[in-house]
Amino acid sequence: MNNFAVPILGIQGIMPELLLSLAAVLILLLEMTAGDREGHGALSLSVAGLILAFIATFGADGKQVFSSLLVNDNLSALLDRVFLMAAFLVTLVSRPYLANYGLAKGEFFVLLLLATVGMMVMGAAMDFITMFLGLEMLSLSLYVLAGFFKKDVLSGEAAFKYFILGAFATGFLVFGMAFVFGALGTTNFAAMAHTLSAGSPPFPSVPTLLFGLALILAGLGFKISLVPFHTWVPDVYTGAPTPVTALIATGSKAAGFAALVRIFMITFPGSFQFWGAAFWWLALLTMIVGNLFALVQVEIKRMFAYSSVANGGYLAMAFLSHSDVGIKALLFYLFAYTFMTVGVFGVVSLAGRRERLLISEYAGLSRENPFLAAVMSLFLLSLAGMPGTAGFFGKFYLFAGAVRSGYLGLALVGILTTILSFYYYLRVIVYMYMRESEMPREALELAGSGRTALVLAAAGVLILGCFPNLIWISIEQVF
Amino acid sequence: MENGQGIITAFSTAEPFRWVGLVWLVPLFPAAATLLNGLLGRKVIRYRTGQLATVAMLGALIVSLLCIWDIARTGQPYNVDYFIWIGVGDFQLPFGFYVDQLTAVMLFVVSFVGTVIFLYAIGYMHGHPGYWRFFTYMPLFAVMMFLLVLGNSLPVLFVGWEGVGLCSYLLIGYFFDRDYAAQAGRKAFIVNRIGDFGFLLGMLLLYWTLGSVRFTDIVEHAPDIYPAGSVMITVITLLLFLGATGKSAQIPLFVWLPDAMAGPTPVSALIHAATMVTAGVYMIARLNLLYSLAPISLLVVGTVGALTALMAATIAFTQREAKRILAYSTISQLGYMFLALGVGAFDAGIFHLMTHAFFKACLFLSAGSVLHAFHEDRDVDIFQAGGLRRYMPMTRLAFLVSAVAIAGIPPFAGFFSKDEILFEAFAGGYILFWGIGLTAAFCTAFYMFRLYSLLFSGEFRGTEHQRRHLHECPFIMWFPLVILALLSLVGGWVNIPGLFPKFHAFLRPVFAEAHELAGPHRELAGARIWEISLALLSVLVALTGIFAARLCYVQLPKLPHWFAETFPSLFIASLHKYWIDEAYQATVVKGFYSACRLAQWCDNRIIVAGLNAFAALIRHLSEIGTQLQTGYVRHYALAIVIGVVFLLIGMLL
């Protein structure tokens, strides 16, 4: 009967996504008609779209729209805000960055907006089909963005590797989805959960379902760069234009965790007994490998690439905690992580006229550009987990959640590796403040949007570090 | 908690108004002076800082007098909580004041002697660099001392206790550019820390076993919780007494006080004679009930007091510097007070505390006046003085009155309080304590008149240059001397045994319970006869001491030399202060340095080396690990496949 019913469109349910898409289309039109050499128009439109979309996320009503393909609940709204904030800050940093290389073109901002829409669709998906749609929208945009510097070999290499390996991992993901569909006969999350809770067929007796879930975990593990699915991270993060790296490290990773939460915690809560033990090892390895390998890096982007892997490990630990506290800690850390990571990559974007500076080339930055050095120090201290910054409460909730769920050993490793991370984070501060620069290094002019982005990110780090309740309250509403 | 409303309860109570309710103003006045002088003293207020501080102190004195009058009139103690100071779970500690008769006496001593000494200091400190600094620290000291005596729980008392210690440190090191002053400040601080450690342990033990550190709770519950003579109460009281030995300069922690004379003389008078050093006496008197439950502790207190009284007095025999002699005299007199506490005569101890504050402050200020005449900051060698009576008549008179008072000649103040301590010791059956006290009384009279004779009698022995500059101090300095000298004369009349025992009657409610528990046997057969004959005996002893001193240092100046040559060991032992500083240096200080060197060795050779090795290992691992990152996509894809296989195995098997 339903087959003939007019689907409930529910435009209001996808308002944020629509607004962003509209902004993307307008930028394309602007590019074609008026010509927007310096990217000011694209920046303005992007910013307007992002802000409007951010406001629109407060209209979450918990309803499923488009025949239950998407849901508009508190969780998706909260994740949308993470994505939008990341995209907003990255957009602000991008224009002066791109202008430096003469590449401030509208299509960059279009792709950035579309990638964001992809993340939001992933966060709101209630069906494998929409989730995959969102994932591909995100991934394809990012592949192009990673290779945006056409003449830069490393940028091209990054795009190529990202694409090949991403396609490889996506293959596993789709394969897994197919197996799950085969086992349960539906792609809709609610329907799958319903089928399982009806009791037939019970979990262990369906190896195809578990097989599918394992492959999905692997596919998403690529997105969140769990060890050993992290191998692309150092090369891609280093090669891609730095603002793109920032987006990959924050928004894309957050989208991966959003999908994990939707599938493994909300749809298949009973599956934990099967993947818990294996995932424990992955989280452990990710924390150790990320922090350990970051220690000896000489190039700052590569170091932050490993640091991002390590942070993925902390987030994975929270996801593993599988408890109320754990998931709240995960969401909180996503906010904190977004601010500080976009912050460091923002500084890296603007600190030199050349890509891929060495850590030693940050010597004397405090003298030449005290503002950059100061906010960089703040973000680094936050990453290290210094009290008074967002990173402190983020880590505090993470470890508290892990301990409460009985993962004392994992939390201990997390704390030990955090101590390890102090070394490479503080090393940058040492260079900036205690070493003289050997050669003059020209920083970008910090006018306008770049400075705004860094100030906003720094404010976010400090506000979350002093008043964590501001975010915690909206997180409490999710569950 | 009925006091949870804090300020509201304190100020808008339905109870009838009591003047003692204004007691919060007492520390507030000097606090305001500290704040103003500290912030504006250097640039704006400058030489008005002294007047400002003195006026603030006068305000505190007036309010104190109102409070004392209220307490004397109603006889009711006043307990008030202002706000919850420390609230952790079930532990709710309010910040509040407790005023009873004992507090009243202390309030009077601190505010009155404080005001007089502040006034004196305006003249004495005139022209010193850092004048404003002096008058920032001094009111701060007053604030802390008021907190110490007013606090209604041990932690509040402890804040004051540490606060006066801090101010003492700051003021001893007032001439911080001189090495000896800085060293003396450090020594005082460190020695006091040792005592404070005991105090803190005692306080924590008390909380642990009793569950409260508020004085009202202690009085209420202690007899139920601690059986008389139990180990716990003995340990607690001994630990608290360790704190008292630090602050009040008793054996074994007395060594800092003589060095503390490096501070300006008003500091020595106020902090290191009249008020702060009596904090230990006050604390034990405040906790009299606890000590009454621990007879062993009381015996220890008494023994330490008696020994300190005698030892310090004999050291004073041979010292050459005026303030140093007075410092040993202070230690000795504090010993008397502890002797009184030890025999359970708490009221006698407090009585002596009060009279001692008057005459010792007067002695110090007179000595300060002499220093002033010598244009000297540190101290004066009494063998380079002499004959000052001609140049400084007011100073000499004040010094003489207070010296007579401390020697214990009736009707001066010291006679009444000291004689009472000796009588209580005798009556309580502590004949040995009495004997030591009497000997110390002789010594006191002797060294005090030795000091007097060498300073004021005979001919001037200093340089001609010094002699020409000798002068009487200005009015603003000798006026306080006169006030204190007057009090050294009449201060003891508030408690004339048999005729006018007002002071004891006033204090009786505070110590009533303790006296019942452990008081001395007051019904000595034929007490009146004993009392009079013992008083006569001690007066005789004091007079002997005075005449001996006059004989040695005025009539027959050869006599001391003969004595020193005949009994060199005694003379040298006294001169070297029984080598106690040297002993501490050799054992405690050296031992501590050795421990430090051991710790340093461990740190360098074991901890740092171990850490470095570990760090090298981590770096090595990291370098090996990063080689896994080959850059080939095929290797990366292989890693992904390995991950997939791992997950499949993990989930399906």
Side-chain angles (χ1 to χ4, degrees):
Chain A
M1 297 294 248
N2 279 354
N3 294 348
F4 301 104
V6 179
I8 304 160
L9 280 174
I11 293 290
Q12 78 281 359
I14 57 162
M15 209 54 175
E17 288 89 338
L18 270 186
L19 286 167
L20 280 196
S21 309
L22 187 68
V25 171
L26 285 178
I27 295 169
L28 280 181
L29 286 176
L30 181 78
E31 186 87 343
M32 279 191 290
T33 54
D36 182 27
R37 293 244 150 203
E38 286 290 300
H40 288 292
L43 176 72
S44 313
L45 278 170
S46 298
V47 165
L50 287 163
I51 290 176
L52 286 175
F54 192 86
I55 295 168
T57 59
F58 289 93
D61 53 7
K63 282 192 185 132
Q64 301 190 1
V65 290
F66 294 106
S67 311
S68 303
L69 286 175
L70 292 168
V71 69
N72 189 22
D73 57 4
N74 282 331
L75 176 62
S76 68
L78 199 69
L79 289 164
D80 282 355
R81 276 168 228 153
V82 175
F83 304 143
L84 288 168
M85 268 179 339
F88 181 69
L89 296 173
V90 169
T91 306
L92 289 180
V93 170
S94 296
R95 210 213 59 81
Y97 172 83
L98 292 170
N100 174 45
Y101 299 98
L103 282 169
K105 293 181 185 163
E107 64 229 46
F108 185 92
F109 296 94
V110 172
L111 288 166
L112 216 151
L113 290 178
L114 291 181
T116 313
V117 173
M119 297 171 201
M120 291 163 79
V121 170
M122 268 180 92
M126 276 302 279
D127 196 293
F128 274 140
I129 304 298
T130 33
M131 178 165 286
F132 187 69
L133 191 72
L135 179 75
E136 284 305 285
M137 199 166 171
L138 165 65
S139 301
L140 288 172
S141 310
L142 287 180
Y143 299 150
V144 180
L145 283 174
F148 197 74
F149 286 171
K150 278 173 286 190
K151 291 173 184 162
D152 180 3
V153 178
L154 283 176
S155 177
E157 184 196 325
F160 181 71
K161 280 182 175 166
Y162 195 20
F163 176 66
I164 297 277
L165 293 169
F168 190 57
T170 310
F172 285 112
L173 184 71
V174 181
F175 203 38
M177 286 175 175
F179 266 93
V180 174
F181 174 70
L184 297 174
T186 174
T187 54
N188 186 276
F189 293 164
M192 289 191 286
H194 182 74
T195 312
L196 276 179
S197 64
S200 65
F203 239 110
S205 68
V206 204
T208 44
L209 177 58
L210 286 180
F211 192 78
L213 285 178
L215 294 181
I216 290 174
L217 200 55
L220 291 175
F222 176 85
K223 270 274 153 236
I224 61 172
S225 61
L226 280 182
V227 175
F229 308 106
H230 76 291
T231 43
W232 57 280
V233 168
D235 295 358
V236 173
Y237 277 32
T238 315
T242 312
V244 178
T245 309
L247 194 67
I248 299 175
T250 55
S252 172
K253 189 171 279 187
F257 274 103
L260 276 180
V261 170
R262 279 270 182 236
I263 298 173
F264 287 90
M265 302 212 65
I266 297 175
T267 310
F268 299 111
S271 66
F272 173 73
Q273 50 174 313
F274 300 102
W275 57 264
F279 201 82
W280 188 91
W281 283 103
L282 297 189
L284 181 83
L285 270 178
T286 308
M287 288 191 288
I288 293 176
V289 166
N291 281 308
L292 197 62
F293 290 10
L295 280 183
V296 289
Q297 301 304 325
V298 287
E299 205 179 287
I300 200 154
K301 274 172 84 177
R302 220 172 164 79
M303 186 197 89
F304 283 126
Y306 280 111
S307 142
S308 158
V309 171
N311 277 293
Y314 300 137
L315 286 163
M317 178 177 69
F319 176 66
L320 185 66
S321 300
H322 200 71
S323 63
D324 202 28
V325 191
I327 291 308
K328 284 174 188 165
L330 173 74
L331 290 173
F332 185 89
Y333 198 69
L334 279 179
F335 274 95
Y337 173 73
T338 300
F339 281 124
M340 53 207 192
T341 306
V342 177
V344 284
F345 282 117
V347 174
V348 171
S349 304
L350 303 175
R353 289 199 173 275
R354 194 159 55 74
E355 268 287 279
R356 294 181 274 278
L357 291 178
L358 302 181
I359 296 171
S360 55
E361 286 179 278
Y362 278 74
L365 187 69
S366 63
R367 199 75 49 80
E368 292 157 36
N369 199 326
F371 170 76
L372 272 187
V375 289
M376 183 68 153
S377 306
L378 178 68
F379 299 136
L380 287 167
L381 290 175
S382 178
L383 278 167
M386 198 63 91
T389 61
F392 170 73
F393 280 108
K395 287 228 170 72
F396 172 76
Y397 291 135
L398 285 184
F399 294 134
V403 169
R404 197 168 295 183
S405 307
Y407 291 107
L408 195 60
L410 209 57
L412 211 60
V413 171
I415 290 168
L416 287 177
T417 51
T418 300
I419 295 171
L420 210 58
S421 74
F422 268 71
Y423 172 76
Y424 58 83
Y425 289 135
L426 296 186
R427 192 159 60 124
V428 180
I429 297 182
V430 168
Y431 270 107
M432 289 192 303
Y433 281 90
M434 301 175 193
R435 300 279 162 82
E436 295 300 320
S437 59
E438 284 155 15
M439 61 192 88
R441 165 182 28 71
E442 261 183 294
L444 299 193
E445 267 179 50
L446 262 182
S449 61
R451 182 185 285 267
T452 311
L454 294 181
V455 168
L456 286 177
V461 165
L462 285 176
I463 289 170
L464 283 192
C466 299
F467 311 102
N469 266 352
L470 292 181
I471 297 286
W472 198 252
I473 286 168
S474 49
I475 291 175
E476 293 274 349
Q477 291 166 354
V478 171
F479 293 98
Chain B
M1 176 153 289
E2 77 273 17
N3 304 309
Q5 274 82 35
I7 303 245
I8 298 151
T9 352
F11 289 97
S12 66
T13 165
E15 290 169 27
F17 175 77
R18 289 185 65 181
W19 284 102
V20 70
L22 295 177
V23 70
W24 53 277
L25 277 171
V26 173
L28 207 66
F29 277 120
T34 297
L35 213 63
L36 281 174
N37 286 350
L39 294 177
L40 305 173
R42 185 176 187 164
K43 293 279 166 60
V44 184
I45 311 180
R46 296 160 70 86
Y47 283 96
R48 298 282 160 82
T49 50
Q51 293 160 25
L52 184 73
T54 311
V55 168
M57 213 48 200
L58 193 66
L61 172 63
I62 290 167
V63 179
S64 295
L65 288 175
L66 285 174
C67 296
I68 295 161
W69 176 66
D70 187 310
I71 292 291
R73 193 176 49 113
T74 62
Q76 293 295 315
Y78 176 78
N79 189 15
V80 60
D81 290 329
Y82 293 112
F83 54 87
I84 297 293
W85 176 33
I86 304 172
V88 184
D90 291 338
F91 180 73
Q92 298 287 325
L93 181 71
F95 181 92
F97 288 162
Y98 181 77
V99 189
D100 65 353
Q101 288 82 357
L102 175 60
T103 317
V105 173
M106 294 302 289
L107 268 184
F108 176 68
V109 170
V110 176
S111 57
F112 183 81
V113 179
T115 308
V116 172
I117 292 177
F118 274 44
L119 189 66
Y120 174 93
I122 294 179
Y124 184 83
M125 296 305 290
H126 184 79
H128 272 83
Y131 185 83
W132 66 278
R133 193 157 51 85
F134 181 86
F135 280 108
T136 303
Y137 296 156
M138 283 295 262
L140 181 64
F141 166 77
V143 175
M144 291 303 170
M145 195 65 208
F146 284 133
L147 284 188
L148 198 162
V149 299
L150 284 171
N152 69 349
S153 62
L154 273 176
V156 179
L157 184 152
F158 191 61
V159 169
W161 183 278
E162 291 297 304
V164 291
L166 170 71
C167 295
S168 161
Y169 164 77
L170 290 170
L171 285 163
I172 294 170
Y174 174 76
F175 302 113
F176 57 83
D177 49 349
R178 301 175 200 178
D179 202 36
Y180 68 87
Q183 293 238 15
R186 258 203 314 268
K187 184 171 177 183
F189 203 79
I190 292 169
V191 172
N192 266 297
R193 296 312 306 166
I194 299 170
D196 294 347
F197 183 65
F199 189 103
L200 205 57
L201 280 184
M203 188 162 74
L204 294 175
L205 263 185
L206 191 68
Y207 175 71
W208 192 30
T209 50
L210 188 89
S212 175
V213 279
R214 309 185 61 191
F215 293 139
T216 45
D217 293 341
I218 292 173
V219 170
E220 199 175 329
H221 301 303
D224 307 331
I225 289 177
Y226 309 110
S230 66
V231 175
M232 182 50 73
I233 189 66
T234 308
V235 170
I236 290 174
T237 45
L238 281 179
L239 284 170
L240 290 170
F241 178 59
L242 181 62
T245 59
K247 193 108 300 183
S248 296
Q250 298 294 293
I251 295 174
L253 298 178
F254 69 94
V255 289
W256 63 274
L257 190 59
D259 289 16
M261 297 301 125
T265 309
V267 173
S268 312
L270 181 60
I271 302 184
H272 303 121
T275 55
M276 183 189 85
V277 288
T278 62
V281 180
Y282 165 75
M283 187 265 291
I284 290 177
R286 172 56 72 208
L287 300 175
N288 59 77
L289 194 64
L290 292 185
Y291 280 86
S292 305
L293 291 168
I296 298 174
S297 302
L298 272 183
L299 196 64
V300 171
V301 172
T303 311
V304 167
L307 289 179
T308 311
L310 185 62
M311 183 210 63
T314 52
I315 292 177
F317 277 179
T318 54
Q319 303 303 309
R320 295 177 65 99
E321 288 157 320
K323 279 177 71 184
R324 186 166 278 269
I325 295 169
L326 291 177
Y328 280 107
S329 162
T330 304
I331 297 173
S332 169
Q333 296 300 311
L334 288 165
Y336 272 111
M337 296 175 210
F338 282 103
L339 171 60
L341 300 176
V343 300
F346 298 105
D347 38 11
I350 294 297
F351 187 30
H352 195 56
L353 186 159
M354 185 176 82
T355 56
H356 173 256
F358 299 145
F359 56 69
K360 188 49 68 65
C362 187
L363 285 169
F364 264 113
L365 295 189
S366 308
S369 167
V370 173
L371 260 66
H372 191 255
F374 275 74
H375 294 285
E376 178 65 60
D377 280 332
R378 190 179 180 181
D379 219 333
V380 3
D381 184 344
I382 49 177
F383 288 101
Q384 302 300 315
L388 296 180
R389 66 185 179 287
R390 240 168 293 147
Y391 306 97
M392 318 177 69
M394 296 304 289
T395 306
R396 176 236 182 178
L397 189 68
F399 194 96
L400 185 61
V401 169
S402 41
V404 172
I406 195 175
I409 305 295
F412 294 87
F415 164 74
F416 295 100
S417 52
K418 188 191 286 184
D419 192 55
E420 188 177 327
I421 292 173
L422 293 176
F423 173 70
E424 294 278 2
F426 189 84
Y430 301 92
I431 305 295
L432 190 62
F433 285 178
W434 173 77
I436 296 174
L438 201 62
T439 317
F442 168 81
C443 299
T444 307
F446 181 85
Y447 69 69
M448 200 43 77
F449 275 86
R450 169 178 177 265
L451 178 59
Y452 171 79
S453 308
L454 288 172
L455 278 180
F456 295 101
S457 309
E459 289 304 315
F460 187 69
R461 294 179 293 273
T463 62
E464 182 57 25
H465 174 75
Q466 280 173 327
R467 198 191 58 76
R468 255 184 285 127
H469 283 88
L470 289 178
H471 60 86
E472 179 57 282
C473 55
F475 170 77
I476 198 161
M477 285 168 70
W478 67 252
F479 180 63
L481 286 182
V482 170
I483 296 176
L484 287 171
L486 211 59
L487 274 171
S488 306
L489 174 63
V490 305
W493 298 355
V494 293
N495 196 59
I496 301 170
L499 296 174
F500 191 68
K502 277 288 178 203
F503 192 75
H504 286 190
F506 181 64
L507 279 177
R508 186 156 300 131
V510 183
F511 303 118
E513 207 172 337
H515 275 156
E516 266 174 44
L517 277 165
H521 316 287
R522 304 213 147 215
E523 294 83 25
L524 194 67
R528 184 62 59 216
I529 306 298
W530 276 112
E531 204 166 349
I532 291 170
S533 42
L534 286 174
L536 283 176
L537 182 61
S538 56
V539 172
L540 201 65
V541 164
L543 285 174
T544 318
I546 293 174
F547 284 120
R550 296 297 288 179
L551 194 69
C552 285
Y553 294 98
V554 183
Q555 268 82 25
L556 295 169
K558 295 267 183 335
L559 205 56
H561 293 285
W562 171 82
F563 187 84
E565 279 157 21
T566 320
F567 305 102
S569 53
L570 284 181
F571 176 75
I572 290 172
S574 168
L575 187 66
H576 288 270
K577 304 159 249 169
Y578 302 116
W579 294 281
I580 287 171
D581 269 321
E582 285 79 0
Y584 281 168
Q585 183 72 28
T587 54
V588 180
V589 179
K590 283 268 173 60
F592 184 71
Y593 278 135
S594 308
C596 288
R597 273 192 291 275
L598 182 69
Q600 191 190 19
W601 184 87
C602 288
D603 188 31
N604 284 340
R605 292 300 157 84
I606 299 173
I607 297 174
V608 173
L611 280 178
N612 283 342
F614 186 68
L617 176 75
I618 294 281
R619 174 170 285 273
H620 196 62
L621 276 180
S622 179
E623 269 157 7
I624 294 174
T626 42
Q627 284 168 11
L628 292 173
Q629 203 73 30
T630 56
Y632 291 114
V633 173
R634 56 176 183 274
H635 292 157
Y636 294 180
L638 182 66
I640 291 176
V641 171
I642 291 172
V644 170
V645 171
F646 174 77
L647 276 179
L648 282 175
I649 292 173
M651 283 180 73
L652 289 172
L653 295 182

